[in-house]
Amino acid sequence: SMDDIKEEEPIDDELETAIGGIVVNGKLGFINGENELIIPCVYEYEISGSGCEKELRGGIWGPTGVVKKGGKWGIINRRGEVLVPFLYDDYYTRSSSGENSLRKDGKTFYFDKGGNMYTTEKERNDSSRIRLARKGFPDEQAWIGCYYNEGKNEYPKDYNKALYWFNKAASQNNGHALYHLGKMYEYGDGVEKNYSTARDYYTKSVSASEAYRSHSLLRLGEMSYYGKGVAKNYKDAFAYYYKSAELGNSGAMYFLGWMYEHGQGVGKS
């Protein structure tokens, strides 16, 4: 069952309520659509720019906001709860997705909408990757498929979920996903082994994507060489390996050398 795979980002009910900044006695607070003060005016009011370009620095966008207190920046949610304490020199980016970044001692720190710090840029990318995958971006869908396929980046190894995401991306002709679907069918990972289906996916991947063309050609070469789903054919294998090697694939170069040396599919060199 794929029930636990959410297609779209769930809508946060809390975001349905408008929230706006209000300044009383030089301090910033927030009111809701009914003009009720929901977050008291205790934050520092700071303006950047001038004339028409004037804008409030800090504030609440989406589920969280960056605000300043005691000369330092922190992050609060729409209920005024402090998610990240006021320890930072400035804010770097703010986002309606609830992800913000703050700066301290010349370094940038990134936070998710729960106020948890991403320890690495990679962790942050992985988190935005699943969101983009759910929104239908094929490259991201293919990567999420890879994570499930290999049990990487804290994703459990799960062939069903890998297939789900690879199929999503493949339906948009994504060469990366088509290549991995080919491999799953060639080796019987989470599906019944089927060489002819594998070949179909590899062939589609060759025409779909420059990035995975050499990998798919290598697999097609190997299938011809070993007679997987087709009659063993050194000449075809050599042709596939040659095309793959032309694209810089080191595995294909190795196999070509082997075939030259043993006079397979080509006059002995």
Side-chain angles (χ1 to χ4, degrees), residues 19 25 44-45 60 64 71 94 96 106 126 144 149 156 177 217 220 233 240-241 261 263:
I19 190 167
N25 297 330
E44 280 148 45
Y45 175 61
I60 291 180
T64 63
R94 53 187 205 208
S96 58
D126 292 342
I144 297 298
N149 195 28
L217 286 164
L220 286 165
N233 188 322
Y240 283 126
Y241 285 148
E261 213 176 305

Side-chain angles (χ1 to χ4, degrees), residues 114-158:
N116 306 300
M117 188 190 291
Y118 293 125
T119 49
T120 64
E121 185 80 12
K122 182 174 171 309
E123 205 177 276
R124 179 167 156 251
N125 289 343
D126 292 342
S127 136
S128 53
R129 189 160 264 166
I130 186 72
R131 276 206 316 280
L132 292 172
R134 286 174 184 151
K135 285 179 179 160
F137 290 89
D139 285 344
E140 267 63 34
Q141 291 174 336
W143 278 111
I144 297 298
C146 282
Y147 295 163
Y148 277 122
N149 195 28
E150 296 162 31
K152 267 189 177 169
N153 294 350
E154 314 223 348
Y155 284 73
K157 193 176 179 84
D158 187 325

Side-chain angles (χ1 to χ4, degrees), residues 184-202:
M184 289 182 90
Y185 279 96
E186 183 183 352
Y187 293 103
D189 290 339
V191 290
E192 207 168 310
K193 197 180 275 194
N194 187 323
Y195 289 144
S196 98
T197 304
R199 287 180 69 86
D200 286 347
Y201 279 125
Y202 289 142

Side-chain angles (χ1 to χ4, degrees), residues 164-204:
Y164 173 88
W165 287 110
F166 285 148
N167 279 316
K168 281 281 200 205
S171 70
Q172 299 185 66
N173 205 31
N174 179 276
H176 185 183
L178 288 161
Y179 166 73
H180 280 290
L181 283 168
K183 277 188 84 170
M184 289 182 90
Y185 279 96
E186 183 183 352
Y187 293 103
D189 290 339
V191 290
E192 207 168 310
K193 197 180 275 194
N194 187 323
Y195 289 144
S196 98
T197 304
R199 287 180 69 86
D200 286 347
Y201 279 125
Y202 289 142
T203 306
K204 282 179 185 162

Side-chain angles (χ1 to χ4, degrees), residues 10-18 78:
I11 299 297
D12 186 339
D13 293 339
E14 227 176 80
L15 299 192
E16 296 299 299
T17 52
R78 294 167 75 90

